[in-house]
Amino acid sequence: MNKITILIHCEDQTGIIADTTNFIAGKGGNIVYIDQYVDREKNRFFMRLESEFESNSFETEIFKACFKSDLADKFQMKWRIYSSEKKPKMALFISKYDHCLYDLLGRYNSGELNLEIPFIISNHLDLKPIADSFKIPFHHIPVTKDTKSEAEDKQLKLLEEHNIDFIVLARYMQIVSSKLINRYPNKIINIHHSFLPAFVGAKPYHSAYKRGVKIIGATSHYVTEELDAGPIIEQDVTRVSHAHAISDLISKGRDLEKIVLATAVKLHADRKVMVYNNKTVIFT
Amino acid sequence: MNKITILIHCEDQTGIIADTTNFIAGKGGNIVYIDQYVDREKNRFFMRLESEFESNSFETEIFKACFKSDLADKFQMKWRIYSSEKKPKMALFISKYDHCLYDLLGRYNSGELNLEIPFIISNHLDLKPIADSFKIPFHHIPVTKDTKSEAEDKQLKLLEEHNIDFIVLARYMQIVSSKLINRYPNKIINIHHSFLPAFVGAKPYHSAYKRGVKIIGATSHYVTEELDAGPIIEQDVTRVSHAHAISDLISKGRDLEKIVLATAVKLHADRKVMVYNNKTVIFT
Amino acid sequence: MNKITILIHCEDQTGIIADTTNFIAGKGGNIVYIDQYVDREKNRFFMRLESEFESNSFETEIFKACFKSDLADKFQMKWRIYSSEKKPKMALFISKYDHCLYDLLGRYNSGELNLEIPFIISNHLDLKPIADSFKIPFHHIPVTKDTKSEAEDKQLKLLEEHNIDFIVLARYMQIVSSKLINRYPNKIINIHHSFLPAFVGAKPYHSAYKRGVKIIGATSHYVTEELDAGPIIEQDVTRVSHAHAISDLISKGRDLEKIVLATAVKLHADRKVMVYNNKTVIFT
Amino acid sequence: MNKITILIHCEDQTGIIADTTNFIAGKGGNIVYIDQYVDREKNRFFMRLESEFESNSFETEIFKACFKSDLADKFQMKWRIYSSEKKPKMALFISKYDHCLYDLLGRYNSGELNLEIPFIISNHLDLKPIADSFKIPFHHIPVTKDTKSEAEDKQLKLLEEHNIDFIVLARYMQIVSSKLINRYPNKIINIHHSFLPAFVGAKPYHSAYKRGVKIIGATSHYVTEELDAGPIIEQDVTRVSHAHAISDLISKGRDLEKIVLATAVKLHADRKVMVYNNKTVIFT
C-alpha cells in the first residue's frame, strides 16, 4: 500500500474538488482524508488530501506527471505531492539552551516524530554531550560578526550534503541571514519566547514583566527576512501573576517553548502546513 | 443562491467522496465546504458538505429524491439534507436558574444564533419576567411527581404545534422521561455542571469540592435514557484551588455552563454535529 | 460583626507584618485573611488584610485615625481601609454593543456582583431598552467632536451627585479625556478586545486576522492617558485557526470580553487590586 | 542569611497570626512570605511562612524547640519547619515509559528543580541508558507477583540508606503496597493519566476514547491505600476531538503527564503543599 499526501492551493473556482477526487479515483486511489478551506478575502482555495494506492500499480513520479498535466495546469494550482515512504530530514540548530533540545530528542527517541535528524549544528560546544548521548552527529560551527558569512556557507554545505528538507532553530539565538532563508523558504522553523506580535525581538520575558501582563506566550513561526514577522504555525500561553519574577516567567516559558516548538515541528513534518500571504493554513 | 448542507454516514467504502462530489457537480452545485472522518475502529465513514446552487434551477425536494436513489441507496448511507433557508426551531426548557437563560437570549437578540425560539417552557414562574423582557412566549407547566406524565403531554403538544426541531434544557433541573427522549432522539441538549464522566448526577460542585479537584468543568450532551451518559457535544474547564468554597465553584461554574451550552447550541443549530455509537462527530 | 479590608503598600522594611498584625490584635480584631507580596526589583511591600471586629466596640473612623498615627506614619504606608458595610458604586458607560451590558447586568441581577449600579450613561439610545428592562436609570449623553468637553462635564456632574466610586467602560467606544481620568485615577476600567500589548488601538480583530495569530485575547485595564497602556487587571485568550473569518474572531472575542471585564469588575469591587508602577498587584 | 519555611495547621482560633508573627519578630526574623487559608467547613487554619534570620545568631534546632514550647503547644498546631540549606532528596521509580523521566532529568540537569536525586529504581532495565547518560545511579529491582514483598524490602533499604524525603512514581506502572505508603505518608507522588476522579484505574485513555470526551487530563496525587483516590496536587487538561484515535490521546497525554508531574514535584520540593482531610492546600 502506497500513501500519498497532496497539498494544493489556487484561485477559487467551481469544480476543483469534484475534478480532483475524480482524478484520484481514476488512478485507483482511495481518498482517506480530505480537508479544504477557502480564503474569501483573497478568493484562494486550499486543499489537503491523503490517498492510498495499491503499491504494485503505483509510481509516484508518473502520478505527479499526470497530476500536473491533467489537473494542476487547468486550475493553475500550486501543488506538492509527498509519498509517505520518505520521511522528511530535519537539521537542528542550537546554541546554549538545552530545554527544547532535550524535548525534541526525547520525542524523536520514543518514535513520536515522523522525521529523521541527520545532524545538529551549534555555535557553541556546551550541548555536545546531549547530542552524543542521543547518538546524533554534532557539528560545531562558531559564529562571530566577522565569520558569519563563512559559517553560513559551512552550514549550507552540510544541509545540502544531507538533503535536508527543513531546519529547526531550537533557541539558536542567532539571526539567520537571507542566504539561508532564500534557500529554505518557509522551511526554517523558529521558536520565539513571546505571544507574537507582542514583544518582538530580544528579551521578551523582561518586556512582559515590565508591562505587567497576566498571560505569557510562545510562538513558533517560519523565518522570513523581517524579524519575528514570519507566518505563525503555533502559539500557546500560560497564566502568570504579579508574584512571578522575570526568572519565573523564563522558567514557565520554557515549558511553553518546548510544547509549541514540538507541535510546529510535528505539523510541518506531517505536511499539514501551507503558507500563503504570510499566514499559515493548517489542516489537522 | 440556495445553499444546502449534507450530512452522511455509512460503512467506509472506496469511492464515496468521488461519487458524492461528482453527483453534486452533476446537479450544478459548487462545493464550498467538505470535511470527512473515518472511525477506523468501527469502519464508519462520516462526511459534511456544503454546496451552493443557482436558486432558479434548484428544488430541495427533487434534489433529495435524486440523492437517495442515485447515491444514498448505493452506499447505504444514513443522511440528512438541510436548506439554509430554513432556520431550526428551538424550545427552551428552564426552571429557576437564570444565567444560561440570560446568556442564550442575549446571544439570540444580537443575532449570534442561527435559529428561532418560538417559546420557553418552565416549571416555575420565577423567570417569566426575563422571557417577557425579551418578548418570547412563556409557558408555565408545573411538574410534580403526580403530574409529570400529564405535564410532558402538555410539553409535547406545544412542541408539535410549533414544529420544534430541538430542545435545550437550560438548567431545567428535571429528569426528562423516555416519552420525550424517544420523540426527540439526539435532539435534546442538556448542560451538566461537571466534567463528565466525573461527578454524574446531583450536586456535582459539592462532590468536586469534597474530592479536592484542581479543575472543574461543564459538559453539554444529548439526553439519553441513562442519566448524564449521552453523547458529549462540548466540554470546558476552569482552574480552582483549595481556597474556593463550594459557592465559588458554583459561581465560576456558571460561566462555564453558559459558554459550553451556547457552543453546543450553535454547533447543533449549524448542523455540525453527527451522532454514532453514543459519541459525537463534530465538523467545525 | 464588622469586617474591614486593609490595603497597604510601602517601602519594604523589617517588622511591617508583625506590627500590623499586632495593631489589629490590640484593637480586638481577628484576622481572617492576610496576603502579602514584595516587589524585589522596586523594594516595595504590598499587603491585603481582612479583619473582623465585634460591631458594638468598633468605629471605622476611629480605627482609621489610630491606624494612621500608630502604624501608617511609621512605615510611610500608602493605605486604604474599607468597611464591608458599604458597597462600591459603579457607573456603566456604554455605546452600541450589548454583550458586555447583558453580561454585567445579568450577573448584577443574580447577586453575583458586590456593588451598586446607580445609573448607565450612553452616547447612543440603542441600548436604553435593556437598561429599562433591568430597571437601571439610563442617561443619554451624546458625544460629538464639538460637544465632548461639555458632555464630560455632564458625566462628571452625574458621577459626583451619585458618589460614584468607579467607572466601567463596557465597550464605550470613546476615548476618555484626562479630565475624567485625573478625577478617577485607577478607577476607570476598560475592556480592550486584544491581548495587550499586541494590537493597541482600533480594530484589533482585523489586525489579528491579518497577522494570522493562532490565539486571540481580551484585556481589561485601568484607563490612563496613554491609549491602551494602563495597568492590566485581567486577560484571557481563546484559540483560533485560519478558518476563522474576522466575523468569527469578533464573535469568539465577545465571550472573552464579557468574562474578562466581569472578572476585572469583581476584583476591583472586592478591593483585591492594588496599582503601583503602572502594574497591578492582585490578591485573590 | 538563613531562610526557613514554616508550615502550620490547627483549629481556627483568634490570634494565631499575631502570635506567630510576633514570635518570629522576637527571634529576630524578617518575614518575607506569609499566606494563610481557613477551611470554614472544617474550621481549620493553615499557614505558610518564610522568614530570614541573620546566620550567626540562628540555630534551627533551638528555633524549633522554642517554636514548639512557646507557640505550637498553645494552639495545638501540626507544624513543620524546613531550613533552605537542606535540599529534599527524591527517589525516582520508573518502569518502561521514558517521557516523564526525560522531562524530570532535563529539568534537574538545568537546575530548575530544587532537590537531589540520589538514585533511580526500576523494575526493568530498558531505561538504564537514560539514567546513565544523566549519571544518576540506577537500581534494577524486578517485581513479580511472588517477589513483590521482597522487592519492596530492597526498595525500603535503599530509601533509608539515602535518607530519601519523598518518592516520585514517574509512570512506575506498579501498585505500591501499604508497607511503603505507611513509611512515606503523603510523600509518594504519582502521575495518573486521566482527569481524576474520571477514569480511575487501568487504561484511562481507552476509556476516555470510548466515552467520547472532548477534553482529556492528567492528575498528580499523593498515593494512598485506595487506588487513585489520594490528595490531588495538580491537574491539567487538553482539548481533543472525535478525530483523535486512542494513540493520539496517548501522545497528547504524554505532554500533560510530563508537565503535571513536574509541577507537582516542584510544589512538593518547595514545601508548598499541605495535606488535610485527603485534600491539598497549596500555597503558591
Side-chain angles (χ1 to χ4, degrees):
Chain A
M1 188 76 77
N2 203 315
K3 186 167 165 184
I4 60 161
T5 300
I6 306 176
L7 297 173
I8 293 165
H9 68 95
C10 59
E11 198 182 314
D12 191 27
Q13 304 151 69
T14 309
I16 311 172
I17 297 174
D19 279 20
T20 307
T21 53
N22 257 341
F23 171 82
I24 290 166
K27 297 290 174 196
N30 183 31
I31 296 170
V32 293
Y33 174 95
I34 182 168
D35 202 355
Q36 56 75 52
Y37 160 67
V38 176
D39 180 339
R40 300 261 172 209
E41 202 190 36
K42 300 284 174 194
N43 194 40
R44 195 85 192 165
F45 173 89
F46 299 83
M47 186 158 62
R48 184 176 184 276
L49 272 152
E50 289 176 12
S51 182
E52 291 173 351
F53 295 83
E54 293 300 320
S55 294
N56 50 0
S57 67
F58 187 79
E59 294 265 1
T60 306
E61 291 312 311
I62 292 171
F63 180 84
K64 283 187 186 178
C66 295
F67 184 89
K68 184 180 182 313
S69 62
D70 295 4
L71 206 63
D73 288 352
K74 174 180 173 191
F75 291 104
Q76 293 192 276
M77 292 173 175
K78 304 273 178 190
W79 58 279
R80 288 178 288 150
I81 293 178
Y82 301 102
S83 167
S84 65
E85 284 173 347
K86 203 174 147 285
K87 287 189 184 181
K89 288 182 184 171
M90 168 177 114
L92 212 40
F93 282 41
I94 60 173
S95 184
K96 290 185 168 186
Y97 290 110
D98 62 6
H99 55 286
C100 286
L101 182 65
Y102 270 130
D103 184 71
L104 286 173
L105 295 186
R107 292 171 196 273
Y108 180 58
N109 228 28
S110 64
E112 189 181 321
L113 303 179
N114 191 33
L115 50 81
E116 285 173 27
I117 307 180
F119 61 85
I120 292 170
I121 285 175
S122 180
N123 56 339
H124 292 287
L125 277 165
D126 306 51
L127 304 185
K128 187 172 186 306
I130 302 177
D132 292 349
S133 78
F134 283 88
K135 299 187 176 56
I136 314 235
F138 178 95
H139 297 280
H140 179 219
I141 303 181
V143 177
T144 65
K145 231 179 188 173
D146 295 340
T147 65
K148 181 148 188 173
S149 176
E150 189 188 333
E152 289 207 327
D153 289 340
K154 280 187 201 166
Q155 293 170 352
L156 272 169
K157 193 156 169 288
L158 271 171
L159 294 166
E160 280 165 9
E161 276 172 11
H162 288 83
N163 291 311
I164 290 300
D165 292 295
F166 70 107
I167 299 165
V168 169
L169 311 180
R171 301 298 310 275
Y172 176 52
M173 309 299 287
Q174 295 282 325
I175 291 177
V176 168
S177 80
S178 53
K179 204 193 301 182
L180 221 63
I181 295 172
N182 292 333
R183 177 61 190 80
Y184 291 93
N186 296 324
K187 290 179 178 174
I188 306 176
I189 298 175
N190 186 40
I191 178 72
H192 183 73
H193 39 315
S194 87
F195 183 80
L196 289 177
F199 310 127
V200 165
K203 296 201 175 269
Y205 292 128
H206 290 71
S207 306
Y209 177 81
K210 189 161 183 298
R211 180 63 186 93
V213 293
K214 299 301 181 187
I215 287 174
I216 57 168
T219 304
S220 189
H221 63 94
Y222 290 116
V223 175
T224 57
E225 302 232 7
E226 189 182 342
L227 185 65
D228 298 331
I232 293 171
I233 308 168
E234 170 71 354
Q235 301 188 289
D236 205 356
V237 297
T238 195
R239 203 162 269 276
V240 296
S241 82
H242 64 271
H244 290 98
I246 291 174
S247 59
D248 298 317
L249 302 192
I250 291 171
S251 172
K252 283 176 83 80
R254 274 197 294 260
D255 280 344
L256 284 179
E257 296 164 31
K258 286 189 286 193
I259 294 217
V260 168
L261 181 57
T263 302
V265 165
K266 274 190 275 191
L267 288 170
H268 184 94
D270 293 345
R271 286 94 180 215
K272 292 182 169 171
V273 187
M274 302 181 77
V275 174
Y276 186 73
N277 192 31
N278 205 44
K279 292 161 61 168
T280 60
V281 171
I282 294 180
F283 291 116
T284 53
Chain B
M1 189 76 76
N2 203 315
K3 185 167 165 184
I4 61 161
T5 300
I6 306 175
L7 297 173
I8 293 165
H9 68 94
C10 59
E11 198 181 314
D12 190 28
Q13 302 151 71
T14 308
I16 310 172
I17 297 174
D19 279 20
T20 307
T21 53
N22 259 340
F23 171 82
I24 290 168
K27 297 289 174 197
N30 183 31
I31 296 170
V32 294
Y33 173 95
I34 183 168
D35 202 356
Q36 55 76 51
Y37 160 68
V38 176
D39 180 338
R40 301 262 171 208
E41 203 190 36
K42 301 286 174 192
N43 196 39
R44 196 85 191 165
F45 173 89
F46 300 83
M47 185 158 64
R48 184 176 183 276
L49 272 152
E50 289 176 12
S51 182
E52 291 173 352
F53 295 84
E54 294 301 320
S55 295
N56 49 0
S57 67
F58 187 79
E59 295 264 1
T60 307
E61 291 313 312
I62 292 171
F63 181 85
K64 283 186 186 178
C66 295
F67 185 89
K68 183 180 182 312
S69 62
D70 296 4
L71 206 62
D73 288 352
K74 174 179 173 191
F75 292 105
Q76 294 193 278
M77 291 174 176
K78 304 274 179 189
W79 57 279
R80 289 178 286 150
I81 293 177
Y82 301 103
S83 167
S84 65
E85 284 172 347
K86 203 173 147 285
K87 287 189 185 183
K89 290 182 183 171
M90 167 177 114
L92 213 38
F93 282 40
I94 60 173
S95 185
K96 292 185 167 185
Y97 290 110
D98 62 6
H99 55 286
C100 286
L101 182 65
Y102 269 129
D103 185 72
L104 285 173
L105 295 186
R107 292 171 195 275
Y108 180 58
N109 227 28
S110 64
E112 189 180 321
L113 303 179
N114 191 33
L115 49 81
E116 285 172 27
I117 306 180
F119 62 85
I120 291 170
I121 284 175
S122 180
N123 56 339
H124 293 286
L125 278 165
D126 306 50
L127 304 185
K128 187 172 185 304
I130 301 177
D132 291 349
S133 78
F134 283 88
K135 299 187 176 58
I136 314 235
F138 178 94
H139 299 280
H140 179 219
I141 303 180
V143 179
T144 65
K145 233 180 189 172
D146 295 339
T147 65
K148 182 149 189 170
S149 177
E150 190 189 330
E152 288 208 327
D153 289 340
K154 280 188 202 166
Q155 293 170 353
L156 272 170
K157 194 157 169 285
L158 271 170
L159 294 167
E160 279 166 8
E161 276 173 12
H162 288 85
N163 290 312
I164 291 299
D165 292 295
F166 71 107
I167 299 166
V168 169
L169 310 180
R171 299 298 310 273
Y172 177 52
M173 308 300 286
Q174 294 282 324
I175 291 177
V176 168
S177 79
S178 54
K179 205 193 300 182
L180 220 65
I181 295 171
N182 292 333
R183 176 63 190 79
Y184 293 92
N186 295 325
K187 290 178 176 173
I188 306 177
I189 299 174
N190 186 41
I191 177 72
H192 183 73
H193 39 314
S194 86
F195 183 80
L196 288 177
F199 311 127
V200 166
K203 296 202 174 268
Y205 293 128
H206 291 71
S207 306
Y209 177 81
K210 190 161 183 297
R211 181 63 187 91
V213 292
K214 300 300 182 188
I215 287 174
I216 57 167
T219 304
S220 188
H221 63 94
Y222 290 116
V223 175
T224 56
E225 303 231 7
E226 190 183 341
L227 185 66
D228 298 332
I232 294 171
I233 308 167
E234 172 68 354
Q235 302 188 289
D236 205 355
V237 297
T238 196
R239 203 162 269 274
V240 296
S241 81
H242 65 270
H244 291 98
I246 291 174
S247 59
D248 297 318
L249 302 192
I250 291 170
S251 171
K252 283 176 84 80
R254 274 197 294 259
D255 280 345
L256 284 179
E257 294 164 32
K258 287 190 285 194
I259 294 216
V260 168
L261 181 57
T263 303
V265 165
K266 274 191 273 191
L267 289 170
H268 183 94
D270 292 345
R271 287 93 181 217
K272 292 183 169 171
V273 187
M274 303 181 76
V275 174
Y276 186 73
N277 192 30
N278 205 46
K279 293 161 60 168
T280 59
V281 171
I282 294 180
F283 291 117
T284 52
Chain C
M1 188 74 77
N2 203 315
K3 187 168 165 184
I4 60 161
T5 300
I6 306 176
L7 297 174
I8 293 164
H9 67 95
C10 59
E11 198 181 316
D12 191 26
Q13 302 152 70
T14 309
I16 311 172
I17 297 174
D19 279 20
T20 307
T21 54
N22 259 339
F23 171 82
I24 290 167
K27 298 288 173 198
N30 184 30
I31 296 169
V32 294
Y33 173 95
I34 182 168
D35 202 355
Q36 55 75 51
Y37 160 68
V38 177
D39 180 339
R40 300 260 172 210
E41 202 190 36
K42 301 285 174 194
N43 196 39
R44 196 85 192 164
F45 173 88
F46 299 82
M47 185 158 63
R48 184 176 184 275
L49 273 150
E50 289 176 11
S51 182
E52 291 173 351
F53 296 83
E54 293 301 320
S55 295
N56 50 1
S57 67
F58 188 80
E59 295 265 1
T60 307
E61 291 313 311
I62 292 171
F63 180 84
K64 283 188 185 177
C66 295
F67 184 89
K68 184 180 181 313
S69 62
D70 296 5
L71 206 64
D73 288 353
K74 176 181 172 189
F75 292 105
Q76 295 192 275
M77 291 174 175
K78 304 274 180 189
W79 57 279
R80 288 177 287 150
I81 293 178
Y82 301 103
S83 167
S84 65
E85 284 171 349
K86 202 173 148 284
K87 287 189 184 183
K89 289 183 183 169
M90 168 177 117
L92 212 40
F93 282 39
I94 60 173
S95 186
K96 292 186 167 184
Y97 290 111
D98 62 6
H99 56 286
C100 286
L101 182 65
Y102 269 131
D103 184 71
L104 286 173
L105 296 186
R107 292 171 196 273
Y108 180 56
N109 228 28
S110 65
E112 189 181 322
L113 303 179
N114 192 33
L115 49 81
E116 285 171 28
I117 307 179
F119 61 85
I120 292 169
I121 284 175
S122 179
N123 55 339
H124 292 287
L125 278 166
D126 308 49
L127 304 186
K128 187 172 186 306
I130 301 178
D132 291 349
S133 77
F134 282 88
K135 300 189 175 54
I136 314 236
F138 179 95
H139 298 281
H140 179 219
I141 304 181
V143 178
T144 65
K145 232 181 189 171
D146 295 339
T147 65
K148 180 148 190 172
S149 176
E150 189 187 332
E152 288 207 327
D153 288 340
K154 280 188 202 167
Q155 293 170 352
L156 271 170
K157 193 155 170 291
L158 272 169
L159 294 166
E160 281 166 9
E161 275 173 11
H162 288 84
N163 291 312
I164 290 299
D165 292 296
F166 71 106
I167 299 165
V168 169
L169 310 180
R171 300 297 312 273
Y172 176 52
M173 307 301 285
Q174 295 282 325
I175 291 177
V176 169
S177 80
S178 55
K179 204 193 302 182
L180 219 64
I181 295 171
N182 292 333
R183 176 63 190 80
Y184 292 94
N186 295 325
K187 290 178 177 173
I188 307 176
I189 298 175
N190 186 41
I191 177 72
H192 183 73
H193 39 315
S194 86
F195 182 81
L196 289 175
F199 310 126
V200 166
K203 296 200 175 268
Y205 292 128
H206 290 71
S207 305
Y209 177 80
K210 188 160 183 297
R211 181 61 186 93
V213 293
K214 299 301 182 188
I215 287 174
I216 57 168
T219 304
S220 188
H221 63 94
Y222 291 117
V223 174
T224 56
E225 303 232 6
E226 190 182 341
L227 185 66
D228 298 332
I232 293 170
I233 308 167
E234 171 70 354
Q235 302 188 290
D236 205 357
V237 296
T238 196
R239 203 160 268 276
V240 296
S241 80
H242 65 271
H244 290 98
I246 291 174
S247 59
D248 298 317
L249 302 193
I250 290 171
S251 172
K252 283 175 84 80
R254 274 197 295 259
D255 280 344
L256 283 179
E257 295 165 32
K258 287 189 285 194
I259 294 216
V260 168
L261 181 57
T263 303
V265 166
K266 274 191 274 191
L267 289 170
H268 184 93
D270 293 344
R271 287 95 180 215
K272 292 182 169 171
V273 187
M274 302 181 76
V275 174
Y276 186 74
N277 191 30
N278 205 45
K279 292 162 61 168
T280 60
V281 171
I282 294 180
F283 290 118
T284 53
Chain D
M1 189 74 76
N2 203 314
K3 186 167 165 184
I4 61 160
T5 300
I6 306 175
L7 298 174
I8 293 164
H9 68 95
C10 59
E11 198 182 314
D12 191 25
Q13 304 151 69
T14 308
I16 310 171
I17 297 174
D19 279 20
T20 306
T21 53
N22 259 340
F23 171 82
I24 290 167
K27 297 290 174 196
N30 184 32
I31 296 169
V32 294
Y33 173 95
I34 183 168
D35 202 356
Q36 55 76 52
Y37 160 67
V38 177
D39 181 337
R40 301 260 171 210
E41 202 189 36
K42 301 284 174 194
N43 196 39
R44 196 86 191 164
F45 173 89
F46 299 82
M47 185 158 63
R48 184 176 184 276
L49 273 150
E50 288 176 13
S51 182
E52 291 172 352
F53 295 84
E54 293 300 321
S55 294
N56 49 0
S57 67
F58 188 80
E59 295 264 2
T60 307
E61 290 314 311
I62 292 172
F63 180 85
K64 284 187 185 177
C66 295
F67 184 89
K68 183 179 181 313
S69 62
D70 296 4
L71 205 64
D73 288 352
K74 175 180 174 191
F75 292 105
Q76 295 193 275
M77 291 174 175
K78 303 274 179 189
W79 58 279
R80 289 178 286 151
I81 293 178
Y82 300 102
S83 167
S84 65
E85 283 173 347
K86 202 173 148 284
K87 287 188 184 182
K89 289 182 183 171
M90 168 177 115
L92 213 39
F93 281 40
I94 59 173
S95 185
K96 291 186 169 185
Y97 290 111
D98 62 7
H99 54 286
C100 286
L101 182 65
Y102 269 131
D103 184 71
L104 286 173
L105 295 186
R107 292 171 195 274
Y108 180 57
N109 227 29
S110 64
E112 189 180 321
L113 304 179
N114 191 32
L115 49 81
E116 285 173 27
I117 306 180
F119 61 85
I120 292 169
I121 284 175
S122 179
N123 56 338
H124 292 286
L125 277 166
D126 307 50
L127 305 185
K128 188 172 185 307
I130 301 177
D132 291 348
S133 78
F134 283 88
K135 298 187 176 56
I136 315 237
F138 178 94
H139 298 280
H140 179 219
I141 304 181
V143 178
T144 65
K145 233 182 188 171
D146 295 339
T147 65
K148 181 148 188 172
S149 176
E150 190 187 331
E152 290 208 327
D153 290 340
K154 280 187 201 167
Q155 293 170 352
L156 272 170
K157 194 156 169 289
L158 271 171
L159 294 166
E160 281 167 7
E161 277 173 12
H162 287 84
N163 292 310
I164 290 300
D165 293 294
F166 71 107
I167 299 166
V168 169
L169 311 180
R171 301 297 311 273
Y172 177 51
M173 309 299 286
Q174 295 283 323
I175 291 178
V176 169
S177 80
S178 54
K179 204 193 302 183
L180 220 65
I181 295 172
N182 293 332
R183 176 63 190 79
Y184 293 93
N186 296 325
K187 290 179 176 173
I188 307 176
I189 298 174
N190 186 39
I191 178 72
H192 183 73
H193 39 315
S194 86
F195 183 81
L196 289 177
F199 311 126
V200 165
K203 296 202 174 267
Y205 293 128
H206 291 71
S207 306
Y209 177 82
K210 190 161 181 296
R211 180 63 186 92
V213 294
K214 300 300 183 189
I215 287 175
I216 57 168
T219 303
S220 188
H221 63 93
Y222 290 117
V223 175
T224 57
E225 302 232 6
E226 190 182 341
L227 185 66
D228 298 333
I232 293 171
I233 308 167
E234 170 70 354
Q235 301 188 290
D236 205 357
V237 297
T238 196
R239 205 161 267 277
V240 296
S241 81
H242 64 271
H244 290 99
I246 291 174
S247 59
D248 298 317
L249 302 192
I250 291 171
S251 171
K252 283 175 84 80
R254 274 197 295 258
D255 280 345
L256 284 179
E257 295 164 31
K258 287 190 286 194
I259 293 216
V260 168
L261 180 58
T263 302
V265 165
K266 274 191 274 192
L267 289 169
H268 184 94
D270 293 344
R271 287 93 180 217
K272 292 183 169 171
V273 187
M274 302 180 77
V275 175
Y276 185 73
N277 192 30
N278 206 45
K279 293 162 59 169
T280 59
V281 171
I282 293 179
F283 291 117
T284 53

